[in-house]
Amino acid sequence: MRKFKDVIVIGGGGYVGAVLVPKLLKRGYRVKVYDLFIYGKEVFDAVKDNPNLSLIEGDVRDIPWLEEGLKGIEAIIHLACISNDPSFELDPELGKSINYDCFEPLVKMAKEKGIRRFIYASSSSVYGVKEAENVTEEIDLQPLTDYSRFKVICEEVLFKYADDDFVCLVLRPATVCGYSPRQRMDLIVNILTNHAVNRGQIIVNGGNQKRPNIHIEDVTDLYVKSLEYEDELINKKIFNAGYENFTVSELARQVKEIVGAEVDIIVEPTNDPRSYHISSKKIRAELGFTPRHTIEDAVRDLKKAIENGWLKDPMNNPLYFNIKRMKEIELS
Ligand SMILES: NC(=O)c1ccc[n+]([C@@H]2O[C@H](COP(=O)([O-])OP(=O)(O)OC[C@H]3O[C@@H](n4cnc5c(N)ncnc54)[C@H](O)[C@@H]3O)[C@@H](O)[C@H]2O)c1
């Protein structure tokens, strides 16, 4: 059941937000999207005439402008980010300024303004590489990159402010896969599918490394539900959210099965044997959340999007590759 009417999705113009926002509108929320719209406002073409949607162009580092955006808002979903390692490393100072420096001022302001719920998109990359078969939320964090390290610090910052009136939830999703009106082609299942459909060939480096994934429909359903769970179920809590942990070779085989027998899988050696596994038992046990969409569903959706021409030049278009887009716009 809805607890709020007015929500803001900061960074809602990205891959996850472009699927999430229409779902929130459908569920009756009044939604503000606060974003630099690095990937364009066209991602909302299907819902742009919805009177419950407002798009506010702004930088998450611009605290006074963001404060304007927070007027009347009851809950925040915070997705804004330089959201992978290569684009963070392109300009680490810029990455830090967006992913970390402005975070505490934002949280503080949200609390002062009486926002009742703050949902933070962390990442399962905070664990680094673990031998354990099932990495639970309790295990030590060993973030390997600055992108992941700042996710960890932001989780800690957020929880300093949590109380009964300011409910704070951290989600650590696995790598997301599937089709979005703001497509990303730099995520493992999407990369494999793109190559299989457009080149008839998938190159697998190594192959035995495990990679946890979650379908974009499931992760966005989870963000919607995060606005609706009872306070005590989620306040100051952290949840992993993944589907199954497949190896890269298994993912490649699944892609081939859907795209077609003619797809070649070429295995090349790798000097990066890093393997990730996450356990999503806690979220199932405590919130009753179970992913409903498979990796095969994601591959099928993406194949359809490519074949139907919904994506323009999917192997090269900078809009589908965060690092290419960041290089193109020279954000400072
Ligand atoms: N996609 C995944 O596989 C995945 C997995 C785990 C966690 N996450 C996290 O989920 C969140 C959303 O991921 P995504 O895949 O949608 O990323 P994305 O890169 O597609 O979207 C990020 C959005 O943030 C916006 N943005 C960037 N800098 C900004 C700034 N300074 N001010 C305002 N807006 C800004 C961009 O314009 C973009 O719309 C991120 O925090 C990411 O770290 C993503």
Side-chain angles (χ1 to χ4, degrees):
M1 242 196 2
R2 259 197 13 229
K3 293 180 179 306
F4 313 107
K5 177 77 183 164
D6 288 281
V7 302
I8 190 167
V9 188
I10 304 174
Y15 176 56
V16 171
V19 176
L20 170 63
V21 168
K23 283 188 184 177
L24 292 171
L25 291 167
K26 203 166 167 198
R27 197 127 175 94
Y29 289 98
R30 234 177 347 237
V31 186
K32 284 186 190 172
V33 178
Y34 184 98
D35 198 300
L36 277 176
F37 297 106
I38 290 173
Y39 305 97
K41 289 185 179 150
E42 301 73 26
V43 302
F44 293 119
D45 273 356
V47 285
K48 67 177 191 299
D49 298 327
N50 189 313
N52 283 337
L53 175 68
S54 344
L55 303 183
I56 306 174
E57 192 163 335
D59 195 309
V60 70
R61 296 168 293 176
D62 182 352
I63 296 294
W65 182 227
L66 186 48
E67 185 171 10
E68 279 295 303
L70 292 188
K71 279 193 181 141
I73 292 295
E74 296 162 285
I76 295 178
I77 299 176
H78 183 55
L79 306 174
C81 198
I82 300 302
S83 39
N84 64 7
D85 293 331
S87 36
F88 188 100
E89 280 149 25
L90 191 65
D91 183 346
E93 270 313 303
L94 174 76
K96 177 171 173 284
S97 73
I98 294 172
N99 293 11
Y100 171 63
D101 293 339
C102 59
F103 186 72
E104 187 153 10
L106 161 62
V107 173
K108 228 167 148 174
M109 177 173 73
K111 183 165 175 161
E112 279 164 14
K113 292 192 80 69
I115 304 282
R116 287 157 55 200
R117 192 168 284 204
F118 194 115
I119 296 154
Y120 177 57
S122 182
S123 160
S124 58
S125 67
V126 294
Y127 298 110
V129 177
K130 296 283 182 189
E131 288 305 319
E133 191 51 42
N134 277 306
V135 173
T136 65
E137 291 80 350
E138 284 68 43
I139 216 158
D140 287 347
L141 304 180
Q142 285 173 328
L144 298 172
T145 61
D146 280 346
Y147 163 75
S148 309
R149 197 161 62 82
F150 287 121
K151 289 281 187 199
V152 175
I153 307 176
C154 287
E155 292 182 356
E156 293 163 358
V157 166
L158 180 63
F159 283 173
K160 279 198 310 192
Y161 291 86
D163 62 27
D164 288 351
D165 301 316
F166 185 58
V167 170
C168 297
L169 166 67
V170 165
L171 295 172
R172 290 180 182 159
T175 303
V176 184
C177 57
Y179 173 72
S180 163
R182 190 267 126 164
Q183 191 55 48
R184 281 186 67 177
M185 286 299 196
D186 53 5
L187 301 165
I188 184 76
V189 170
N190 300 356
I191 297 173
L192 297 175
T193 308
N194 201 15
H195 283 242
V197 176
N198 287 304
R199 289 217 174 120
Q201 192 185 74
I202 304 174
I203 295 176
V204 171
N205 294 301
N208 293 327
Q209 321 91 307
K210 284 198 170 167
R211 289 288 179 274
N213 284 277
I214 184 165
H215 195 292
I216 190 148
E217 292 298 333
D218 285 320
V219 84
T220 50
D221 284 347
L222 176 60
Y223 283 112
V224 175
K225 287 182 181 166
S226 299
L227 294 172
E228 298 171 8
Y229 291 125
E230 293 304 324
D231 292 352
E232 56 280 10
L233 284 179
I234 59 165
N235 198 11
K236 255 188 134 170
K237 296 218 179 146
I238 298 178
F239 293 99
N240 292 340
Y243 184 64
E244 285 166 87
N245 298 284
F246 290 111
T247 66
V248 177
S249 290
E250 284 162 348
L251 293 173
R253 272 197 296 275
Q254 291 182 17
V255 170
K256 180 178 164 111
E257 221 156 82
I258 308 256
V259 176
E262 67 287 357
V263 173
D264 284 330
I265 298 180
I266 298 167
V267 180
E268 292 185 349
T270 180
N271 51 11
D272 180 9
R274 292 181 300 171
S275 200
Y276 309 90
H277 325 229
I278 63 162
S279 161
S280 299
K281 271 194 185 144
K282 180 179 172 190
I283 198 164
R284 186 164 55 235
E286 296 187 18
L287 300 182
F289 176 80
T290 336
R292 293 184 303 119
H293 301 267
T294 63
I295 307 300
E296 283 101 331
D297 292 335
V299 175
R300 224 172 267 121
D301 296 345
L302 212 47
K303 175 173 181 275
K304 184 169 143 198
I306 296 169
E307 289 175 350
N308 286 353
W310 300 344
L311 300 169
K312 305 283 168 262
D313 192 12
M315 291 298 288
N316 303 301
N317 191 336
L319 288 173
Y320 307 146
F321 300 87
N322 285 18
I323 180 103
K324 287 189 193 175
R325 184 66 181 149
M326 292 305 288
K327 282 184 180 159
E328 197 175 64
I329 60 169
E330 297 181 1
L331 184 65
S332 60

